[in-house]
Amino acid sequence: MFKHRQRRFLQSLPAVFLVGLAFAASRPPAAAWNFDRAKSGDPILGYSKFVPGVSGTALRFDGQTTSVVRAANKAPRLGDAFTVEAWAAVQAYPWTWCALVNQEKDRKAGYLFGIDPEGYFGLQIAVGGSWVECRSDAPLPLYSWSHLAAAYDATSGITLYRDGKPAGRKVVSGKPSFAPAADLWIGRNLTPLGLSQEVKVVAEVAYSFDGIIDEVRIHDRALRPEEVRA
């Protein structure tokens, strides 16, 4: 059943051929994952499969077990401003907030860039002793590629972008409280979360992203709108 769903999902995605991904940033990202088969880099845990991506190959996550783990001592050290971006094709909305990228500790330190049970994407981050959440204005489509980005600036707050266009905003100020001792995970939550109100379980869970992720980048500054569009 899973293989049938996966094959149908891949066949439904439009072919995306990019001659090159041009980024206007004046310096390279602090961390990047392109998921080309020969350059997978960090350990990939659980079920995974390399599939056609927006450039080269991308990584298929199974919605249950998949994660990519970068050890804490190799994760980028961020400051007052940063940006997280990724291409994502969602097959099914998660049953709880599910990370595309996260490096956090008990939702008291660090950040989570991901998708919620209704298909909205956003950024959660520890600022000023609170766990702050910014959610997109509209949910993501299924079976379609979207370029998602979240920029944080300590003086102005969080700005979300989808396909280069503003998609959400939250005004908040202050230096983030990061979790440098935690590993950085792609496609799965570090901290298990309770499920949506429609699903009742005894224990909190940490399912993985259900879909395809490609071209993940973390920048140690807040990208300008024109850089995101590029």
Side-chain angles (χ1 to χ4, degrees), residues 123-125 132-134 150-153 156-160 168-172:
L123 180 69
Q124 299 179 348
I125 186 170
V132 178
E133 176 182 306
C134 178
Y152 180 81
D153 186 283
S156 58
I158 302 169
T159 304
L160 304 178
R169 184 87 174 88
K170 188 175 185 67
V171 177
V172 60

Side-chain angles (χ1 to χ4, degrees), residues 104 110 113 118 121 138 142 158 206 220-221:
E104 57 89 22
F113 174 56
E118 296 179 293
F121 79 97
L142 297 175
I158 302 169
D220 56 2
R221 63 193 183 90

Side-chain angles (χ1 to χ4, degrees), residues 24-146:
S26 60
R27 60 177 183 266
W33 295 259
N34 60 22
F35 296 125
D36 285 344
R37 190 185 304 273
K39 302 176 182 179
S40 57
D42 300 305
I44 301 174
L45 307 181
Y47 171 87
S48 65
K49 183 178 182 180
F50 288 103
V51 297
V54 294
S55 176
T57 57
L59 196 65
R60 173 72 169 91
F61 291 70
D62 71 353
Q64 297 283 334
T65 65
T66 323
S67 62
V68 178
V69 180
R70 174 160 293 189
N73 63 349
K74 296 181 180 180
R77 294 295 182 257
L78 304 175
D80 291 354
F82 69 94
T83 303
V84 187
E85 60 175 329
W87 284 87
V90 185
Q91 174 162 288
Y93 298 146
W95 285 354
T96 184
W97 268 92
C98 181
L100 293 170
V101 182
N102 69 147
Q103 186 183 21
E104 57 89 22
K105 178 64 175 177
D106 300 328
R107 297 168 67 81
K108 297 179 180 178
Y111 66 92
L112 183 152
F113 174 56
I115 299 172
D116 78 358
E118 296 179 293
Y120 295 80
F121 79 97
L123 180 69
Q124 299 179 348
I125 186 170
V127 179
S130 299
W131 189 248
V132 178
E133 176 182 306
C134 178
R135 200 171 76 144
S136 62
D137 299 329
L140 298 175
L142 297 175
Y143 306 106
S144 177
W145 282 110
S146 297

